[in-house]
Amino acid sequence: MNNLNLKIIYRFLGITAILNGCFMFIAFPFSFFSEEKEAWGILNAGIITVFIGLLLFFFNKPTHKNIQKKEGYLIVTFGWLILSITGMLPYLLSGAIPTISDAFFETISGYSTTGSSILTNIEAMPKGILFWRSATHWIGGMGIIVLTIAILPLLGIGGMQLFMAEAPGPSADKLHPRITDTAKRLYLIYVVLTFAEFFLLKAAGMTWFDAINHAMATVSTGGFSTKTDSIAFYNGSPIIQYIIIFFMFIAGTNFVLTYFALKGKVKKVYESEEFRYYFFGILGISMIISVIIIFFKDETMVTTLAHPEVLGKTESAIRHSLFMVTSVVTTTGFVSADFTMWNFFATGIFFALFFTGGSAGSTSGGVKVVRHIVMLKNSFLEFKKALHPNAIIPVRYDGKSVNQTIVFNIISFFIIYMLIFIMASVTLTLLGLDFLSALGAAASSLGNIGPAIGSVSPVDNFAHLTAPAKWFCSFLMLIGRLELFTVLILFTPFFWRKN
């Protein structure tokens, strides 16, 4: 470890903790003005977090300010851990979630934008805690690491290595040659989308408190709701659900394309191969699910959130199928209906969607659409090469040849992803889950999805898991959010060797 610039790592973690504590101060007034006793727990959590951050920042002055790749991986991984450790303090100190395993699970589920929860009666929770819960989504959505990159020039620190380690997706497209300007533009889009959805939801009939919470959860593709029934609570307000569908779709789109669209360069959006697959994939699968709901529904399975009205009208069937497909593909995790109660074939389709993911460069988790495109194209080329073994046929994406190294990286990612999913499923059966629930919990946690199948279906939650199972799922959420390699590379011996 002598070759690591530890002081710059500690200093960066300090900045992360300070910013996290400031968000806790924003949550404090929601409880204070509602005269909730939990307010002081939230305030104390913020004070402690900022104090920890100040200690890390001021007592670690690095001799040089260059961040190499190793420091980048450590800062991102440990940054997420310090977020989760300090982020659970409002739950613990307020008494809203009294156990450490539950508080850590809920916290990392928020920062990883998974949306899995151990809360069984969300409406009974204090407003300050509900806001903080949604804020963890919003912080984690784009990544507080990217936010901090925007202020690093003030400290004389460059942040390109961090952006490459943190930016979601297999590549980090830059909007501007300077990485700090890229971070600022990304966050500007993020903030604009959040406020746009907030105003639309408020106009559609949500209370201002519910609107801001759902806006933060949607744009971050998180899925925490202020209602126990999630968005099914608003089944009587189709316009609210359509607004959320639209913003889930936008949040699952590459933010670079969103930037181009806002600049009026719509042609660049249509030219994106990934966007076309993403858009028409969601549309096509939603239509298939709609047909299943209307013509092949299993009446004996209809209970709770399946809602008879979902199955009775064409518009309702289309809306709920579109909502749930978009929610799962973008890994948002909002629920308008229980897809496991529609039809076994429909459940199978949704389980397959757990391994899809949104676009690279978005806030969604999962494998990502671009990786599937490259893997499929490479597989078809293998058939051609079998007939023409001497031919040199590169994989082409967006009309350009893809470097073979990138193809190998994507294939390696998918293999490791599936291996982890298989091992995680088996491990969860050892930790007390039945096989179906273990499959669902593993896929949901690793893909940062939220609702799954079995005992962790859209009408259930993760409260019944044993403490070891919750810790294990928390680990899966972390490595899934940081796209496997960022965390797993720390467990390799060659990472810690001197250069």
Side-chain angles (χ1 to χ4, degrees):
M1 292 180 63
N2 293 332
N3 60 326
L4 291 174
N5 189 355
L6 293 178
K7 287 191 175 182
I8 197 70
I9 295 173
Y10 295 143
R11 196 170 177 84
F12 197 96
L13 295 181
I15 298 170
T16 303
I18 291 169
L19 291 173
N20 203 34
C22 290
F23 275 99
M24 294 178 195
F25 292 144
I26 297 173
F28 168 69
F30 288 91
S31 272
F32 181 77
F33 290 110
S34 297
E35 297 182 352
E36 296 168 342
K37 65 180 185 300
E38 292 83 3
W40 302 109
I42 298 172
L43 179 63
N44 290 334
I47 294 172
I48 292 171
T49 302
V50 170
F51 180 71
I52 292 171
L54 290 173
L55 287 179
L56 286 171
F57 182 81
F58 285 111
F59 287 93
N60 289 284
K61 293 184 179 180
T63 53
H64 62 89
K65 298 180 179 180
N66 294 323
I67 300 177
Q68 303 303 321
K69 281 190 175 181
K70 283 189 176 182
E71 283 89 351
Y73 286 119
L74 286 169
I75 288 171
V76 171
T77 301
F78 286 102
W80 230 261
L81 285 175
I82 200 168
L83 280 176
S84 300
I85 292 169
T86 57
M88 68 178 176
L89 292 179
Y91 298 127
L92 293 173
L93 297 183
S94 68
I97 303 178
T99 62
I100 293 178
S101 59
D102 283 350
F104 188 81
F105 181 94
E106 196 78 10
T107 305
I108 204 163
S109 179
Y111 286 118
S112 64
T113 70
T114 302
S116 301
S117 181
I118 51 85
L119 299 179
T120 55
N121 186 3
I122 294 173
E123 283 90 343
M125 299 299 290
K127 281 190 174 182
I129 290 297
L130 289 179
F131 181 85
W132 171 245
R133 189 167 170 261
S134 299
T136 58
H137 269 342
W138 200 82
I139 297 167
M142 179 58 67
I144 200 170
I145 307 300
V146 178
L147 172 64
T148 313
I149 287 173
I151 65 170
L152 281 181
L154 301 177
L155 309 175
I157 301 171
M160 184 59 196
Q161 290 83 0
L162 293 182
F163 186 73
M164 295 302 295
E166 157 59 16
S171 64
D173 293 318
K174 292 195 291 182
L175 310 179
H176 192 275
R178 293 184 61 190
I179 191 63
T180 50
D181 289 328
T182 296
K184 290 173 185 176
R185 282 166 171 75
L186 289 175
Y187 250 97
L188 179 61
I189 295 170
Y190 197 59
V191 171
V192 167
L193 289 176
T194 304
F195 277 99
E197 185 181 2
F198 163 69
F199 288 120
L200 287 173
L201 289 176
K202 180 67 177 70
M206 272 193 183
T207 66
W208 69 270
F209 181 76
D210 289 341
I212 189 61
N213 278 274
H214 284 96
M216 288 193 292
T218 306
V219 175
S220 65
T221 65
F224 278 157
S225 174
T226 54
K227 307 297 179 185
T228 303
D229 285 346
S230 189
I231 309 303
F233 180 87
Y234 300 100
N235 275 343
S237 304
I239 185 63
I240 287 177
Q241 295 183 341
Y242 281 121
I243 291 170
I244 293 176
I245 289 171
F246 174 77
F247 280 94
M248 283 194 296
F249 178 81
I250 295 298
T253 303
N254 190 324
F255 269 49
V256 175
L257 294 181
T258 304
Y259 174 80
F260 287 138
L262 292 173
K263 294 282 286 184
K265 301 178 181 179
V266 182
K267 187 179 179 182
K268 283 185 174 289
V269 179
Y270 292 131
E271 289 175 346
S272 170
E273 197 170 346
E274 182 183 38
F275 180 80
R276 293 197 299 271
Y277 274 87
Y278 172 66
F279 176 75
F280 289 110
I282 288 177
L283 208 60
I285 295 169
S286 297
M287 291 303 101
I288 293 172
I289 298 295
S290 300
V291 171
I292 292 173
I293 294 174
I294 295 169
F295 298 105
F296 301 100
K297 58 184 176 292
D298 187 344
E299 299 284 3
T300 63
M301 297 174 65
V302 179
T303 59
T304 56
L305 286 186
H307 289 289
E309 63 92 15
V310 175
L311 308 175
K313 300 175 183 177
T314 302
E315 183 278 330
S316 181
I318 293 173
R319 170 166 39 94
H320 286 281
S321 62
L322 184 61
F323 188 101
M324 291 308 302
V325 169
T326 307
S327 179
V328 171
V329 169
T330 61
T331 71
T332 304
F334 277 142
V335 174
S336 70
D338 185 0
F339 58 77
T340 65
M341 294 291 107
W342 288 343
N343 177 287
F344 287 120
F345 180 54
T347 304
I349 292 176
F350 276 104
F351 184 71
L353 293 179
F354 288 174
F355 301 92
T356 305
S359 303
S362 71
T363 58
S364 62
V367 177
K368 301 291 193 305
V369 175
V370 64
R371 287 193 177 102
H372 287 289
I373 295 172
V374 173
M375 285 190 295
L376 285 172
K377 287 192 172 189
N378 186 69
S379 299
F380 282 121
L381 284 182
E382 290 301 320
F383 290 123
K384 286 186 178 181
K385 290 176 182 178
L387 295 174
H388 308 284
N390 295 324
I392 300 175
I393 314 171
V395 175
R396 301 189 71 83
Y397 174 74
D398 276 348
K400 301 175 183 177
S401 297
V402 179
N403 190 296
Q404 198 66 23
T405 303
I406 296 176
V407 176
F408 290 151
N409 179 277
I410 288 173
I411 294 172
S412 299
F413 175 92
F414 188 72
I415 292 171
I416 294 173
Y417 191 96
M418 295 309 296
L419 284 174
I420 292 174
F421 163 69
I422 293 168
M423 291 188 291
S425 300
V426 174
T427 302
L428 286 171
T429 60
L430 291 174
L431 296 176
L433 273 72
D434 62 88
F435 182 63
L436 189 63
S437 302
L439 289 176
S444 171
S445 299
L446 189 60
N448 306 131
I449 295 161
I453 58 176
S455 63
V456 287
S457 72
V459 296
D460 300 296
N461 62 19
F462 287 68
H464 64 282
L465 269 63
T466 61
K470 289 171 184 172
W471 285 107
F472 184 68
C473 285
S474 298
F475 174 71
L476 292 178
M477 286 187 272
L478 175 66
I479 64 173
R481 175 62 182 89
L482 299 181
E483 303 227 335
L484 307 187
F485 293 157
T486 305
V487 179
L488 296 181
I489 196 173
L490 303 186
F491 293 91
T492 59
F494 50 79
F495 178 86
W496 301 101
R497 292 174 189 161
K498 293 183 179 180
N499 294 331

